[in-house]
Amino acid sequence: MVRLAELVLRHKALVAVFWLVAMVAGGATAGLTTERLVVDFSLPGQSGYETEKQLVETYGGGPDEGTHVLAVTVPEGTTVDAERDAVDGVFRAHEREYPQYRMVWQGNSGSDSFVTDDGRTAYGIVVDEKFTSFDFVPAFRATLPLLEAQEAATGFDVRTTGYFELSEGNAESSEGGEPPSVLKETLFGALGALVVLLFVFASFLALVPLAIAAVSILSTFLCVLAVSTVTDVSFVVQFLIALVGLGLAIDYSLLIVTRWREEREHGRENGDAVIESMRTAGHAVVSSAGTVAISLLALVVVPVPFLRSMGFGGMLIPLVSMLVVLTLLPAMLGGIGPRVDWPRIRHESSASRAWTAWARGVARHRWVAAGVGMLLLVLLIAPVFDIKVGLPRTESLATQGPAVETLGDLRDGGVPAGVVTPLEVLVRGDDPVASADRVVDELASVDGVAFAVAPDDPAWQKDGTAVVHVVPERELVDIETSQVVERVQDVVLQIDGVEGVAGAGATVLDYTDAVFKRLPAVMALIALATFLLLVRTFRSLLLPLKAVLLNVLSVAATFGFVVLFWQYGNGSEAVFDIASTGAITFWLPVLIFAFLFGLSMDYEVFILSRMREEYDRTGSTRVAVTEGLGRTGRLVTSAALILLGAARLE
């Protein structure tokens, strides 16, 4: 690190020009980079996904691409049967004007299940086209002009609802919102970071970490562009670059800049202060970046392209941030550092009095502190054993708006809650229609299935195949409710010609099989690689082992808090006006573990590195703990606050 710092200081201008070119190139090609990112949630080899894939290839869409419910309510004093021709006209107009969407309703299924108990509302389920990008217009929004025209012409109440429509939140209309803006959210996160940095440095030096973050983010985009020419990279990576890139670049800058100020306060000449900060804090940055990169790279063992590409793309974030911080930052400090460190309101000549007092209290009452800490961890970890993976329930998606009211009216009319998460059974063979009819008959007695229909319609029978539409009694949004899919599979896969079952419930089972069976391997790989890296860093076996074990406990406690807050709803409604979700989105746990393990280890490395340095200097464990935490407590807290602010990007 000393040789690197000396090299950078000798060639400050060259280093600055190199990263300036990289930043400009990254900014100029950012649009091309985002265009090359792919929307791919495939699960190769999984039954539900493979069935959905065949449905999309043959019919242009499937239940996983999105469905919505079209409801037509006649005025009070009359019934659907009395207004049959006019009601059927609404559905037939929809089929005629939008042939790209498959729709099942009473007219093409012959099932009375598509009329509510009071006889005033008829409904149909519309299957969307394949989702391709954020510019994609879902069927419930694309068909809105026709539905408004039909409502005006007939005097009926024509409405839509569905899982994807509800997921837009408490919207008063179905016009939709803007696609997420990486630039806007990054600027928002940077503004929050600037507030924290101004508090930490109390000088114009607060702008330096933000400049480093800008270079890191745009340079990472340039690297992702290169990677995208070799392999697919998920569109989610762009948000991770903005979120994690902003947080990590500022975190690493904080560590080095704070140490640089400390060394200058102790009387070192500027160049020597840069070298010393690189020798100490720079070494910690390398270790921290290594732990984050390892955690993300471990995602490649999961057989899900979406997560694998995030592993490859995400790994670049800490590595590029590290390179920028270890080269451009010392060049800036060695050149303009003293001039921008004005006014020098806050000084680094001594450790934080508040954090030093806290460390002394912990050291003095270490058994009490350890007991209280372990008790809190146990209380937070306990809910983890009740974690459910899947999708949020509709109640947590929105609490008001037309879609909520429509779904409520349908349920009051006896429509099964599972209408928003239907299944589809694909049948292929010499006589697919006969096989489809048999599937309908067999599913009539399956526990958890409200009803099943095989529409007698060319849109549902193509190229030697037929589709059976299945409406479950409950929403199939988590591993518990999705067990009905297993019962459906046990029955229909015994019938000749049945290819498989697709739908939200099948996807939950697919992800559980593909991801969570590999999660122990991912966790073990991350923990082992991190342990070996820290052994090299601290020249110790006990310190890395302690760090890994405590990190696992802290990650488990975080998962427990997620279950308490979101799955149980203890706080989500009060803070965000979101009801309990009932489940954690199925792909989040493994992704959270990979990021969280690396980032939390980041802070532990910051603290332990300084403690180890103080121990080597004094030989006293008590002094090492007190001085180490006194020097890094405010730094780590500030870094966490910055990342918390940037987390709005998610």
Side-chain angles (χ1 to χ4, degrees), residues 262-304:
E262 178 185 337
E263 296 302 328
R264 291 193 70 226
E265 291 280 358
H266 291 160
R268 289 185 185 271
E269 185 270 331
N270 187 48
D272 292 338
V274 172
I275 293 174
E276 182 63 15
S277 65
M278 285 283 285
R279 184 187 70 82
T280 52
H283 187 69
V285 167
V286 173
S287 300
S288 299
T291 61
V292 179
I294 287 171
S295 298
L296 294 174
L297 187 59
L299 290 175
V300 301
V301 306
V302 181
V304 178

Side-chain angles (χ1 to χ4, degrees), residues 40-43 46 64 302 304-307 389 505-518 586-588 590:
D40 181 11
F41 293 100
S42 62
L43 291 166
Q46 297 297 322
D64 255 2
V302 181
V304 178
F306 162 64
L307 292 174
V389 295
T507 299
V508 171
L509 295 181
D510 283 352
Y511 264 96
T512 301
D513 182 67
V515 176
F516 293 99
K517 286 185 177 179
R518 299 291 185 97
F586 41 70
W587 53 267
L588 275 178
V590 65

Side-chain angles (χ1 to χ4, degrees), residues 538-540 543 608-616:
F538 295 120
R539 300 293 199 276
S540 165
L543 279 179
L608 280 178
S609 295
R610 188 58 187 258
M611 288 181 177
R612 180 59 186 263
E613 181 184 339
E614 296 300 328
Y615 180 80
D616 290 341

Side-chain angles (χ1 to χ4, degrees), residues 197-284:
L197 291 171
L198 286 173
F199 171 77
V200 172
F201 294 121
S203 76
F204 286 103
L205 196 63
L207 298 174
V208 172
L210 288 178
I212 295 297
V215 174
S216 299
I217 290 172
L218 293 176
S219 298
T220 305
F221 268 105
L222 188 62
C223 294
V224 169
L225 177 61
V227 172
S228 69
T229 63
V230 180
T231 184
D232 288 341
V233 180
S234 172
F235 73 96
V236 179
V237 169
Q238 62 185 313
F239 302 103
L240 297 180
I241 292 173
L243 166 66
V244 183
L246 179 68
L248 286 183
I250 293 178
D251 284 1
Y252 297 160
S253 299
L254 267 174
L255 191 63
I256 290 180
V257 173
T258 301
R259 187 56 183 261
W260 169 77
R261 290 185 99 194
E262 178 185 337
E263 296 302 328
R264 291 193 70 226
E265 291 280 358
H266 291 160
R268 289 185 185 271
E269 185 270 331
N270 187 48
D272 292 338
V274 172
I275 293 174
E276 182 63 15
S277 65
M278 285 283 285
R279 184 187 70 82
T280 52
H283 187 69

Side-chain angles (χ1 to χ4, degrees), residues 5-6 8-13 205 208 256-257 260 264 269-275 277-278 325 327-340:
E6 292 173 343
V8 167
L9 290 176
R10 286 198 302 269
H11 305 284
K12 294 189 292 289
L205 196 63
V208 172
I256 290 180
V257 173
W260 169 77
R264 291 193 70 226
E269 185 270 331
N270 187 48
D272 292 338
V274 172
I275 293 174
S277 65
M278 285 283 285
V325 167
T327 53
L328 180 59
L329 181 57
M332 293 178 68
L333 293 177
I336 64 172
R339 289 195 291 273
V340 297

Side-chain angles (χ1 to χ4, degrees), residues 403-445:
V404 176
E405 295 169 2
T406 302
L407 183 59
D409 291 344
L410 288 171
R411 289 183 176 178
D412 291 342
V415 177
V419 72
V420 296
T421 56
L423 301 172
E424 288 192 343
V425 180
L426 178 63
V427 180
R428 188 187 304 274
D430 296 332
D431 191 357
V433 175
S435 297
D437 290 339
R438 185 182 171 193
V439 168
V440 172
D441 293 338
E442 294 291 338
L443 290 180
S445 59

